[in-house]
């Protein structure tokens, strides 16, 4: 409990990139941003203010960056790093084409997906707190996937975990859009199957790496909280 004697409530905003089994990408990235409910409200207001300041009124998506808005993207990245109460974590699955689902995941890419989301979220979760996890709407199977992930988190985590998962549209959430920006940068940097020819994307990555202090295609120590990257290679699958 916090100083007021109430159960802390945290929100986790999640996004994913190249997560489908046969999408041609050689990696998969899952990630999330965690903060308190109060912090999420403040960040939402701040992002809306930044949008007004930079005249940016469309949905923020990594796939649709605008070159002249580099200062807006930098301001969003500053939000993430200038506040110690905000945690970001991404899981980068390398060499996705080498995954042996028949040997380790009952032949199911979806099962592997849930495993990786569990590893992505588990460090955010502590018994005694309450968590509300928000996933971007992807398809009509979203409700079923959310229930499955919720069950996995409750089963694999320690006793007493309070967690609910919600499916929302990305345009409804400033925080999911922020997560999309960061996940997109991590994914773009780690992909070896594409040419890195987008000037604006490389500018965003360069600025993000300056803030992090290292390249986005390197893992971080497990205790790193503000910006954590967990790299998973198929060779260690099943351990």
């Amino acid at each position: 409990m916090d100083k007021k004697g109430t159960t802390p409530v945290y929100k986790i905003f999640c996004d994913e990139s190249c997560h489908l089994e046969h999408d041609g990408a050689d990696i998969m990235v899952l990630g999330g941003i965690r903060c308190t409910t109060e912090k999420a409200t403040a960040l939402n207001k701040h992002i809306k203010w930044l949008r007004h300041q930079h005249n940016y009124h469309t949905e923020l998506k990594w796939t649709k960056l605008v070159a002249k808005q580099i200062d807006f993207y930098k301001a969003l990245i500053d939000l993430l790093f200038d506040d110690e109460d905000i945690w970001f974590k991404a899981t980068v699955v390398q060499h996705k084409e080498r995954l042996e689902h028949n040997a380790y995941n009952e032949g199911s890419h979806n099962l592997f997906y849930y495993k990786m989301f569990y590893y992505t979220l588990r460090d955010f979760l502590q018994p005694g707190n309450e968590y509300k996890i928000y996933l971007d709407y992807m398809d009509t199977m979203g409700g079923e996937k959310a229930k499955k992930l919720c069950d996995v988190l409750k089963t694999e985590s320690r006793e007493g975990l309070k967690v609910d998962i919600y499916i929302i549209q990305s345009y409804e959430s400033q925080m999911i859009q922020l997560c999309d920006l960061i996940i997109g940068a991590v994914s773009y940097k780690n992909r070896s199957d594409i040419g890195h020819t987008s000037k604006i994307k490389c500018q965003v990555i360069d600025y993000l790496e300056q803030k992090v202090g290292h390249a986005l295609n390197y893992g971080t120590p497990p205790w790193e909280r503000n910006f954590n990257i967990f790299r998973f290679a198929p060779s260690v699958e099943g351990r």
Side-chain angles (χ1 to χ4, degrees), residues 21 24 45 56-57 60 63 88 94 100 107 115 131 137 140 142 182 207 221 230 239:
E21 184 174 9
K45 292 180 179 178
Y56 198 105
H57 304 297
L60 174 63
T63 56
F88 170 84
Q94 307 168 72
E100 299 181 35
K115 286 182 181 179
Y131 297 92
Y137 174 86
T140 55
I182 308 302
Y207 188 73
F230 168 55
R239 289 186 182 178

Side-chain angles (χ1 to χ4, degrees), residues 70-108:
I70 182 61
D71 289 338
F72 174 61
Y73 305 137
K74 287 181 177 180
L76 291 174
I77 292 171
D78 289 341
L79 278 182
L80 187 66
F81 284 92
D82 292 346
D83 194 323
E84 294 182 353
D85 294 330
I86 304 172
W87 294 11
F88 170 84
K89 181 178 179 181
T91 295
V92 178
V93 178
Q94 307 168 72
H95 308 297
K96 187 173 65 177
E97 73 283 357
R98 300 179 188 173
L99 294 170
E100 299 181 35
H101 292 318
N102 288 332
Y104 299 107
N105 302 304
E106 301 175 13
S108 171

Side-chain angles (χ1 to χ4, degrees), residues 7 21 36 42 69 110 154 164:
T7 300
E21 184 174 9
T36 64
Q69 291 286 2
N110 278 343
K154 288 180 177 179
D164 292 297

Side-chain angles (χ1 to χ4, degrees), residues 27 89-95 116 186 189-191 215-220 228-234 236:
I27 62 157
K89 181 178 179 181
T91 295
V92 178
V93 178
Q94 307 168 72
H95 308 297
M116 291 299 101
V186 173
K189 179 71 176 192
N190 280 272
R191 292 186 67 175
L216 298 184
N217 54 357
Y218 286 90
T220 60
N228 186 290
I229 297 179
F230 168 55
R231 290 170 63 82
F232 177 91
V236 299

Side-chain angles (χ1 to χ4, degrees), residues 73 151 180:
Y73 305 137
D151 290 342
D180 179 280

